Amino acid sequence: MTTKTHATAAASGANATERFRENKHIAAGTSQERVGTLAGRVIKAINETVLEEKVTYDEYNALKAWLIRVGEDGEWPLFLDVWVEHSVEEVANANRHGSKGTIEGPYYIPDAPSQNSPATLPMREDEPGTPLLFQGQVRNTAGEPLPGALIELWHADGLGFYSQFAPGLPEWNLRGSITAGDQGKFQINTIQPAPYQIPTDGACGALIAAAGWHAWRPAHLHLKVSAPGHQLITTQLYFEGDEHVADDIASAVKPELVLAPTERSGGKGREVTYDFILDPEE
Ligand code: MBD
Ligand code: FE
């Protein structure tokens, strides 16, 4: 066993909570009226569930204990991103005409090392996994190339672990910020990630076990793609044939986001081409 396999939910959860506090700048602009509307609706929905399902004191106390534990395990980012963010993303991106977005999830870190295309993501000498050449072009909705587009790519390793959230991995393992060349074209060498299992030893894992659900997300690449004058898109790409593509615990798969890599011509591993279309700034 490597040290990584000892990664605990408490450790990756606490990391995700810390990172959220460091990296997200929360707008303070929500009006009193809006807070009243949203908090009121959520509380009403909980009360309706209690009344309709005739929730008992034992169940109510189990809920209280579980909610306390979510915070103790630092799993609020994980819980919200797995079970709520997909709806927020649907609302946020409803008016876009370009590439489909999907959820960011809890493991993005800004300012990963910069490289120009063609690039190879930072990885270990003996990084396990099938080599993957990910390439394509960034264009606008009129079909024009966007030279100098930025592709931020981050993903789990061949065991499903993210650098900076599991111990024993180099700081920027499998994370990079790649600037596309002229014509907005990019070529990025990486490895194919493994499916990701929600930590089973924390509060979210306890809920999944208690409800008899499964804990899996399909293998995925996370991306943020941007270019001057255009809206940044946050998305993920998946792999055809992965059994969890049809059954993602985070409800974040869309048919347009499933890749079908082929054998790499003249090289080891696989290759796939995916073009990004960015909407103009509003
Ligand atoms: C992940 O890797 C992820 O992308 C999401 C959304 C939730 C948990 C882990
Ligand atoms: Fe992920």
Side-chain angles (χ1 to χ4, degrees):
M1 252 203 220
T2 67
T3 48
K4 276 194 305 170
T5 56
H6 295 286
T8 62
S12 59
N15 273 358
T17 297
E18 263 327 295
R19 292 301 184 168
F20 178 78
R21 289 188 172 127
E22 284 167 21
N23 295 331
K24 292 282 173 202
H25 307 286
I26 314 295
T30 309
S31 71
Q32 195 176 57
E33 187 190 3
R34 182 79 172 153
V35 173
T37 300
L38 299 182
R41 282 199 63 171
V42 171
I43 290 167
K44 184 161 175 259
I46 294 171
N47 279 280
E48 282 170 359
T49 304
V50 169
L51 294 172
E52 286 168 20
E53 295 292 337
K54 301 191 188 338
V55 169
T56 66
Y57 262 101
D58 279 350
E59 290 166 340
Y60 175 63
N61 286 327
L63 170 65
K64 242 190 216 180
W66 182 78
L67 289 170
I68 292 165
R69 188 173 165 202
V70 177
E72 285 170 352
D73 290 349
E75 286 196 347
W76 280 116
L78 180 65
F79 173 82
L80 289 165
D81 294 350
V82 167
W83 283 295
V84 181
E85 190 187 353
H86 65 94
S87 296
V88 180
E89 188 277 331
E90 184 179 328
V91 172
N93 290 335
N95 297 326
R96 293 205 190 211
H97 300 285
S99 299
K100 292 286 178 198
T102 190
I103 66 176
E104 175 175 320
Y107 301 142
Y108 172 64
I109 311 263
D111 304 319
S114 298
Q115 300 179 61
N116 290 323
S117 174
T120 298
L121 284 194
M123 65 178 83
R124 293 162 287 180
E125 279 294 299
D126 53 350
E127 189 66 46
T130 306
L132 177 70
L133 171 61
F134 176 65
Q135 59 189 355
Q137 186 184 34
V138 186
R139 298 189 298 270
N140 64 18
T141 45
E144 296 156 347
L146 296 174
L150 183 70
I151 297 116
E152 293 178 84
L153 173 60
W154 73 102
H155 65 82
D157 69 10
L159 294 172
F161 291 105
Y162 285 86
S163 59
Q164 303 190 41
F165 295 91
L169 291 169
E171 187 176 18
W172 295 104
N173 211 53
L174 302 175
R175 294 176 182 274
S177 305
I178 291 91
T179 302
D182 34 290
Q183 301 306 312
K185 292 200 172 167
F186 62 87
Q187 284 203 315
I188 307 171
N189 289 286
T190 186
I191 57 107
Q192 205 167 310
Y196 177 88
Q197 187 180 25
I198 304 294
T200 51
D201 58 336
C204 292
L207 170 62
I208 289 164
W213 301 334
H214 75 74
W216 292 93
R217 298 213 61 222
H220 54 279
L221 305 174
H222 287 274
L223 296 128
K224 285 180 183 281
V225 180
S226 58
H230 293 77
Q231 294 181 52
L232 178 150
I233 188 84
T234 299
T235 193
Q236 298 182 33
L237 294 169
Y238 306 92
F239 299 93
E240 197 177 84
D242 182 325
E243 64 172 304
H244 299 294
V245 158
D247 189 22
D248 175 13
I249 190 167
S251 311
V253 179
K254 302 178 186 184
E256 299 87 347
L257 300 177
V258 182
L259 302 174
T262 54
E263 290 305 306
R264 182 166 180 175
S265 52
K268 266 202 327 186
R270 308 212 285 166
E271 66 179 27
V272 69
T273 301
Y274 186 88
D275 296 341
F276 293 95
I277 309 299
L278 300 186
D279 283 80
E281 243 163 29
E282 289 175 316

